[in-house]
């Protein structure tokens, strides 16, 4: 971990902290109100707010997890820093791909 | 060999990396330290035993060893405090290469002090007047907090991050860097902050706080490293250092 990655990881954590709280609140609301998948999709379709909210969440989570996994790989695997970095970037891209795919499904399709 | 009230069962690491523990019977004495026990073995039972010590009073930092699983300064560790059931297992410090028996190669430990720019960089010459240092400023208090480090290597041997990441500078070197960062007479801070901001620097610390728990001088390297994290992050955001 160097200072650049440290700043990115702390910044993405700061972004995610309030997003996680809202996300949990939404889950509680949806389950308490007994909303079905169709109910939820009818509210999120075409919503720029939900697209921005979860788009930002996915971007922050992908960067944050990627940096953390790089650290884990350097410490707990035989990979050197360069290989650990490449694998961590690949993992981050996979998370972003899956996440943005879910966001598109939520607000577009 | 079981220990009694009058006798300790002492297992000492013998050999190099691939050595093994060998057990000795050592007479129990009042106010006996772990270093006394090791010295007894060498003087009376096996003169080929290698270990390191100098001052015997907790100043020089030479005699640290692993005692019953924890790194400790052996000259100030009383047997009564650590020898449960009259047994002691004493090995070389972990995270450092074993030379022989209880002695480790400290070269890498001190090379990391150099890499962390743990050397004072003077801002004045002998021709200038003596710097007036106010002891009550926050910076001086932060410098004073860690100035009693005796370089014993206990924090380094007890650090999980050092164990997992051989590039990590370690608590002692980073604490030294933090002391100098807060020393108003020092002129090497940009280079020092740059040196501890790279991979293996202060940001590798997970704040497990083993160093703080184990430090025989009751210093708090974790707090010093947290200070370096804040200071380097601010310097990076201002463009004063690079990743």
């Amino acid at each position: 971990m160097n200072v650049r990655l440290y700043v990115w990881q702390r910044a993405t954590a700061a972004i995610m902290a309030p997003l996680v709280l809202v996300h949990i609140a939404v889950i509680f609301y949806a389950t308490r109100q007994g909303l079905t998948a169709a109910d939820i999709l009818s509210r999120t379709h075409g919503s720029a707010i939900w697209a921005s909210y979860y788009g930002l969440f996915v971007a922050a989570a992908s960067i944050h997890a990627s940096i953390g996994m790089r650290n884990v790989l350097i410490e707990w695997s035989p990979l050197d820093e360069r290989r650990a970095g490449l694998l961590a970037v690949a993992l981050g891209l996979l998370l972003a791909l899956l996440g943005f795919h879910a966001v598109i499904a939520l607000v577009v399709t | 060999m079981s220990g009694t009230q009058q006798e300790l069962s002492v297992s000492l690491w013998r050999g190099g990396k691939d050595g093994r523990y060998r057990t000795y019977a050592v007479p129990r004495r009042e106010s006996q330290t772990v270093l006394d026990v090791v010295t007894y073995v060498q003087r009376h039972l096996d003169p080929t035993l290698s270990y390191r010590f100098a001052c015997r009073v907790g100043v020089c930092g030479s005699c640290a060893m692993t005692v019953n699983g924890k790194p400790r300064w052996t000259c100030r560790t009383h047997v009564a405090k650590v020898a449960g059931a009259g047994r002691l297992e004493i090995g070389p410090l972990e995270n450092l290469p074993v030379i022989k028996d209880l002695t480790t190669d400290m070269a890498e430990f001190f090379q990391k002090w150099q890499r962390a720019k743990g050397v004072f960089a003077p801002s004045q010459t002998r021709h200038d007047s003596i710097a007036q240092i106010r002891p009550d400023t926050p910076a001086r208090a932060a410098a004073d907090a860690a100035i009693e480090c005796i370089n014993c290597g206990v924090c380094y041997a007890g650090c999980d991050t050092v164990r997992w990441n051989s590039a990590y500078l370690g608590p002692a070197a980073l604490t030294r860097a933090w002391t100098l960062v807060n020393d108003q007479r020092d002129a090497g801070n940009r280079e020092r902050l740059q040196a501890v901001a790279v991979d293996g620097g202060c940001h590798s610390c997970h704040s497990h706080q083993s160093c703080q728990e184990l430090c025989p001088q009751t210093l708090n390297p974790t707090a010093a490293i947290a200070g370096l994290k804040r200071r380097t992050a601010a310097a990076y955001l201002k463009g004063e250092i690079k990743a």
Side-chain angles (χ1 to χ4, degrees):
Chain A
M1 179 85 88
N2 58 45
V3 65
R4 178 169 55 84
L5 296 176
Y6 175 81
V7 167
W8 273 99
Q9 199 178 36
R10 292 304 186 274
T12 50
I15 290 169
M16 282 194 294
L19 299 184
V20 166
L21 293 177
V22 173
H23 179 62
I24 291 171
V26 168
I27 290 172
F28 272 106
Y29 174 79
T31 50
R32 292 271 175 156
Q33 298 297 316
L35 297 183
T36 64
D39 292 334
I40 294 169
L41 287 173
S42 70
R43 297 177 191 204
T44 59
H45 259 170
S47 168
I49 291 175
W50 285 118
S52 306
Y53 176 85
Y54 277 111
L56 181 63
F57 206 155
V58 166
S62 302
I63 294 167
H64 188 86
S66 178
I67 295 169
M69 283 306 297
R70 176 183 181 272
N71 226 19
V72 171
L73 289 169
I74 287 173
E75 292 185 355
W76 287 17
S77 84
L79 298 177
D80 60 22
E81 283 176 7
R82 194 181 68 83
R83 288 191 172 87
L86 288 173
L87 189 55
V89 167
L91 182 78
L93 289 174
L94 179 64
L95 283 176
L97 186 71
L98 295 171
F100 285 122
H101 185 261
V103 173
I104 289 168
L106 199 64
V107 296
V108 179
T109 54
Chain B
M1 193 180 301
S2 64
T4 66
Q5 287 291 80
Q6 289 77 37
E7 197 173 81
L8 283 165
S9 172
V10 182
S11 297
L12 299 180
W13 184 261
R14 301 306 310 269
K17 183 184 169 192
D18 300 319
R20 62 185 179 84
Y21 282 98
R22 192 179 298 169
T23 304
Y24 303 86
V26 176
R28 185 78 174 84
R29 297 212 170 102
E30 196 179 347
S31 299
Q32 192 175 23
T33 67
V34 174
L35 185 62
D36 291 337
V37 170
V38 176
T39 300
Y40 180 90
V41 173
Q42 196 213 41
R43 301 285 161 86
H44 298 283
L45 303 177
D46 189 345
T48 66
L49 177 68
S50 298
Y51 67 111
R52 192 184 278 137
F53 77 97
C55 75
R56 298 175 295 164
V57 289
V59 174
C60 73
S62 304
C63 68
M65 301 170 200
T66 306
V67 182
N68 284 358
K70 284 189 177 180
R72 295 181 183 275
W73 54 351
T74 57
C75 69
R76 297 290 297 274
T77 301
H78 280 251
V79 170
K81 183 182 170 189
V82 292
R87 287 177 184 277
L88 277 178
E89 185 184 86
I90 306 170
L93 284 180
E94 296 199 17
N95 297 339
L96 291 163
V98 182
I99 298 172
K100 177 178 175 286
D101 303 338
L102 304 174
T103 53
T104 53
D105 184 351
M106 305 284 285
E108 189 181 346
F109 174 73
F110 288 111
Q111 282 161 5
K112 286 181 175 178
W113 282 54
Q114 300 282 338
R115 275 173 39 206
K117 305 287 181 194
V119 180
F120 180 70
S123 55
Q124 294 181 305
T125 70
R126 68 182 64 192
H127 304 296
D128 296 310
S129 57
I130 294 172
Q132 300 294 310
I133 308 294
R134 286 187 59 85
D136 55 354
T137 62
R140 191 62 229 172
D144 284 342
I147 208 140
E148 297 295 340
C149 175
I150 57 172
N151 323 342
C152 63
V154 162
C155 59
Y156 191 85
C159 176
D160 292 327
T161 312
V162 171
R163 189 184 321 279
W164 298 329
N165 181 359
S166 60
Y168 179 47
L169 293 170
L174 291 169
T175 300
R176 173 63 181 160
W178 178 240
T179 298
L180 291 173
V181 162
N182 287 292
D183 190 331
Q184 69 182 67
R185 301 165 304 161
D186 188 278
N189 269 345
R190 182 180 290 238
E191 294 79 8
R192 189 170 295 114
L193 291 176
Q194 180 67 69
V196 301
V198 297
D199 271 317
C202 60
H203 304 97
S204 297
C205 170
H206 292 292
S207 305
H208 289 174
Q209 302 186 60
S210 303
C211 50
Q212 180 191 357
E213 185 186 333
L214 295 166
C215 176
Q217 295 284 70
T218 63
L219 306 183
N220 188 350
T222 312
I225 294 167
L228 283 177
K229 287 178 180 176
R230 289 193 299 274
R231 193 67 69 85
T232 49
Y236 175 71
L237 293 172
K238 288 179 194 166
E240 294 169 1
I241 60 170
K242 290 181 269 185

